C-alpha cells in the first residue's frame, strides 16, 4: 500500500472570503492556529472563547480601544499551556490606521528549567499570515526565521 502525507491544496478564498475582501476584513481579528496538536485548543479574544483545531482560522470582531487574545488548554478546570501568564493585549487607539489584525498561534516550549510545551500567540502582518495559512508546515523553518530575537532569548523551540 502506498501512502502519502501531502497536504491537499485548498482555496482559502472560498472558505474565508472575508480575509480577501478589503471591506469585509476591516474591523476584524483573524486568528490562525498552527499549534500542531490533535487536541483542540481554546482561544479567548476580547472575552469570547472558542475551540480551534490545528490549521483552523477564526474571525473575531475588533473592538475600539483595548483588545486581548490568549490561547490555552483546560486541565482540571484551570487554564494552562500558554507560554505567557497574561493575554496578548493591544490598543487600537495607538495605531488608528490599522483596521485589521492578524495572529498565529504556534506551539513551542517554555524556556524555563523544565522546558514545558506551551502555546505562543504572535501578532503578524497580513502577508505572513497568508503564508502560514497556505503552508502551515513551514513553521519548522520560515516561521522561526521571521521571529524576533527577543522571542528566541525567552523561548526554546
Amino acid at each position: 500500500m502506498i501512502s502519502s502525507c501531502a497536504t491537499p491544496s485548498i482555496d482559502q478564498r472560498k472558505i474565508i472570503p472575508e480575509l480577501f475582501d478589503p471591506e469585509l476584513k476591516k474591523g476584524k481579528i483573524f486568528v490562525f492556529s498552527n499549534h500542531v496538536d490533535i487536541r483542540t485548543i481554546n482561544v479567548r479574544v476580547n472575552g469570547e472563547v472558542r475551540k480551534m483545531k490545528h490549521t483552523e482560522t477564526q474571525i473575531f470582531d475588533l473592538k475600539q480601544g483595548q483588545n486581548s487574545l490568549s490561547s490555552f488548554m483546560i486541565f482540571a478546570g484551570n487554564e494552562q499551556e500558554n507560554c505567557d501568564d497574561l493575554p496578548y493585549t493591544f490598543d487600537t487607539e495607538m495605531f488608528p490606521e490599522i483596521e485589521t489584525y492578524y495572529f498565529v498561534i504556534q506551539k513551542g516550549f517554555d524556556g524555563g528549567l523544565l522546558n514545558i510545551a506551551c502555546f505562543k500567540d504572535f501578532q503578524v502582518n497580513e502577508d505572513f499570515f497568508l503564508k502560514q495559512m497556505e503552508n502551515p508546515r513551514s513553521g519548522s523553518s520560515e516561521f522561526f526565521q521571521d521571529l524576533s530575537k527577543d522571542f528566541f532569548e525567552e523561548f526554546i523551540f
Side-chain angles (χ1 to χ4, degrees), residues 97-154:
E97 69 280 2
I98 300 176
E99 298 176 317
T100 307
Y101 285 80
Y102 304 90
F103 290 88
V104 172
I105 299 168
Q106 191 77 27
K107 190 169 187 176
F109 294 92
D110 185 341
L113 186 61
L114 299 176
N115 279 337
I116 298 171
C118 57
F119 304 113
K120 181 70 177 168
D121 313 317
F122 293 98
Q123 182 179 353
V124 297
N125 65 31
E126 181 179 14
D127 290 338
F128 188 84
F129 185 86
L130 294 173
K131 187 185 296 185
Q132 280 295 292
M133 283 182 60
E134 291 170 8
N135 188 10
R137 292 184 183 177
S138 70
S140 61
S141 59
E142 293 172 27
F143 185 82
F144 299 124
Q145 292 172 10
D146 292 338
L147 293 179
S148 69
K149 179 182 171 188
D150 293 339
F151 176 79
F152 279 109
E153 289 175 358
E154 188 173 348

Side-chain angles (χ1 to χ4, degrees), residues 16-141:
I16 311 167
E18 298 93 337
L19 186 57
F20 301 95
D21 184 304
E23 289 303 313
L24 292 178
K25 68 182 173 184
K26 287 182 182 177
K28 301 293 181 191
I29 299 171
F30 291 90
V31 180
F32 177 71
S33 181
N34 194 20
H35 68 274
V36 192
D37 196 320
I38 59 171
R39 302 172 298 167
T40 59
I41 63 170
N42 298 288
V43 177
R44 177 182 296 110
V45 176
N46 297 328
E48 180 183 353
V49 177
R50 297 184 192 170
K51 299 240 182 244
M52 288 185 75
K53 298 177 184 176
H54 172 59
T55 69
E56 183 177 7
T57 300
Q58 292 275 342
I59 306 167
F60 297 85
D61 289 326
L62 180 66
K63 293 185 344 183
Q64 289 297 74
Q66 190 80 15
N67 288 263
S68 64
L69 178 137
S70 181
S71 56
F72 57 93
M73 299 289 286
I74 296 179
F75 292 109
N78 297 316
E79 294 180 11
Q80 299 178 9
E81 291 194 42
N82 191 290
C83 297
D84 300 314
D85 291 331
L86 298 172
Y88 181 92
T89 59
F90 61 98
D91 193 328
T92 60
E93 294 174 7
M94 292 181 69
F95 302 99
E97 69 280 2
I98 300 176
E99 298 176 317
T100 307
Y101 285 80
Y102 304 90
F103 290 88
V104 172
I105 299 168
Q106 191 77 27
K107 190 169 187 176
F109 294 92
D110 185 341
L113 186 61
L114 299 176
N115 279 337
I116 298 171
C118 57
F119 304 113
K120 181 70 177 168
D121 313 317
F122 293 98
Q123 182 179 353
V124 297
N125 65 31
E126 181 179 14
D127 290 338
F128 188 84
F129 185 86
L130 294 173
K131 187 185 296 185
Q132 280 295 292
M133 283 182 60
E134 291 170 8
N135 188 10
R137 292 184 183 177
S138 70
S140 61
S141 59

